[in-house]
Amino acid sequence: MARSDWKRPDLEPLASNLRRIRMTVSYHGSHYSGWQKQSNAKAVAEIIEEKVKEMIDEDVLVVGSGRTDSGVHALGQVCHMDIANTRVKAEKFAPALNRLLPADIRILDSSEVDGTFHARFTTMARMYRYYYKRECDMTAFDEQLVAKVKQFPDLGLLNSYAHLLQGTHDFTTFTASGDICPSRYRDIYESYWRMETDRFGNELLTYTICGNAFLYKMVRSLVGSMMEFAHKQVSADEFAGILASLDRSRAGRTASACGLYLYRISYDPAEYAWFEGEGDE
């Protein structure tokens, strides 16, 4: 899909009396209803807005690169806020807010940007990672942070599925019913499974996916489906047929939120520019 077809809105100019502050945020998603502000539960963005108000006595709107659902974690969520305050240096927001925020939300860095940056609308790629451990290897430190499974399925079979996801596809099969996006097509730049180890040396089955954007619960549906199908020895050809069917009923189970992390956001137009060239061939 050409980037010109992403249909993003034009950026509004930054008001002359405002500064734009960019921040990278990590958070423990199990403790919140998601990133986006909710009417009946605490959300990560809402907590940050409250602490900014406490810090500089301004009501602000914190705009994230995208939403994460309830229970989903983030290592590299990116957001911005427009403020009138001129006294606080941009780099001071990270340490100052971390003194006010709960320990399960951390500002990793803060910097000043101009109006050409928008946390959501200038995003070039989003990377998610999912983590599984076997039940026998779970430690007291893994609860709500790693998904568990009795046994790992065949890694080669998992990667045969993952490879098929690369490219531009209609992901209707793996989209939850609550999604309201008019188009289900998404560009996937990276998709692979790997066996890694945690800090204690225990095996960790990881899935990495990077694309221009994702549909509602799409990543969790893909992960859960691939794990279920691999356990059942579903062939790669069958998986390709399920993807192409655009039939939600043919998807497998949806993986739990606790193993999913918003891992990294890219704003570099050159990083995946090769994909644009492939799409033109």
Side-chain angles (χ1 to χ4, degrees):
M1 183 190 304
R3 289 172 176 175
S4 57
D5 293 334
W6 286 1
K7 298 180 181 178
R8 291 178 171 177
D10 294 332
L11 297 182
E12 296 182 3
L14 184 62
S16 59
N17 63 328
L18 295 178
R19 304 163 60 200
R20 180 159 292 177
I21 306 298
R22 167 180 169 167
M23 299 184 291
T24 306
V25 189
S26 68
Y27 49 86
H28 191 312
S30 298
H31 302 161
Y32 298 96
S33 62
W35 168 261
Q36 196 75 9
K37 188 181 297 185
Q38 307 287 326
S39 60
N40 58 352
K42 285 289 185 181
V44 177
E46 180 181 6
I47 300 297
I48 296 174
E49 290 171 357
E50 289 174 357
K51 297 309 177 184
V52 172
K53 170 76 171 178
E54 185 177 335
M55 178 182 167
I56 62 173
D57 195 27
E58 277 189 48
D59 292 315
V60 299
L61 175 66
V62 173
V63 178
S65 64
R67 300 181 180 186
T68 55
D69 298 328
S70 178
V72 175
H73 314 294
L75 178 65
Q77 171 71 284
V78 177
C79 63
H80 77 257
M81 59 183 180
D82 295 339
I83 62 171
N85 180 287
T86 58
R87 294 176 286 104
V88 181
K89 293 181 178 179
E91 64 270 20
K92 296 298 183 182
F93 276 93
L97 284 173
N98 283 337
R99 287 192 286 270
L100 300 173
L101 287 163
D104 54 12
I105 302 175
R106 295 289 87 187
I107 309 298
L108 302 183
D109 59 59
S110 56
S111 59
E112 189 151 354
V113 293
D114 61 27
T116 63
F117 173 85
H118 190 284
R120 180 181 176 190
F121 297 137
T122 59
T123 300
M124 301 307 296
R126 298 167 170 87
M127 179 179 286
Y128 281 88
R129 298 196 84 198
Y130 199 95
Y131 298 93
Y132 275 108
K133 288 179 76 172
R134 293 176 300 184
E135 287 182 357
C136 61
D137 291 329
M138 293 289 285
T139 72
F141 311 107
D142 295 323
E143 181 67 21
Q144 296 184 321
L145 293 170
V146 181
K148 63 183 177 181
V149 64
K150 288 184 178 180
Q151 294 294 333
F152 295 144
D154 180 76
L155 185 61
L157 188 52
L158 286 172
N159 271 318
S160 71
Y161 304 152
H163 179 74
L164 291 168
L165 299 176
Q166 294 178 179
T168 301
H169 302 283
D170 184 326
F171 284 95
T172 294
T173 301
F174 300 103
T175 304
S177 59
D179 189 90
I180 59 174
C181 293
S183 172
R184 303 290 173 85
Y185 281 91
R186 294 295 182 268
D187 299 335
I188 304 301
Y189 312 132
E190 298 182 69
S191 174
Y192 58 86
W193 291 85
R194 283 182 182 167
M195 195 66 71
E196 301 176 4
T197 56
D198 69 7
R199 55 182 171 168
F200 305 112
N202 294 317
E203 286 188 318
L204 195 67
L205 178 61
T206 70
Y207 176 61
T208 301
I209 186 169
C210 183
N212 65 329
F214 295 93
L215 298 159
Y216 181 49
K217 294 186 178 180
M218 171 180 157
V219 178
R220 288 169 57 195
S221 179
L222 285 169
V223 170
S225 295
M226 284 188 281
M227 288 290 284
E228 179 180 338
F229 296 159
H231 278 296
K232 294 178 178 179
Q233 295 291 298
V234 172
S235 71
D237 286 343
E238 289 178 89
F239 182 82
I242 291 169
L243 171 64
S245 73
L246 309 184
D247 183 354
R248 174 64 184 165
S249 69
R250 296 188 65 186
R253 68 174 66 93
T254 299
S256 62
C258 70
L260 184 59
Y261 292 72
L262 175 55
Y263 192 76
R264 185 174 70 90
I265 305 296
S266 174
Y267 293 92
D268 181 1
E271 184 173 6
Y272 294 103
W274 55 264
F275 187 91
E276 190 91 347
E278 285 192 354
D280 293 337
E281 292 180 357

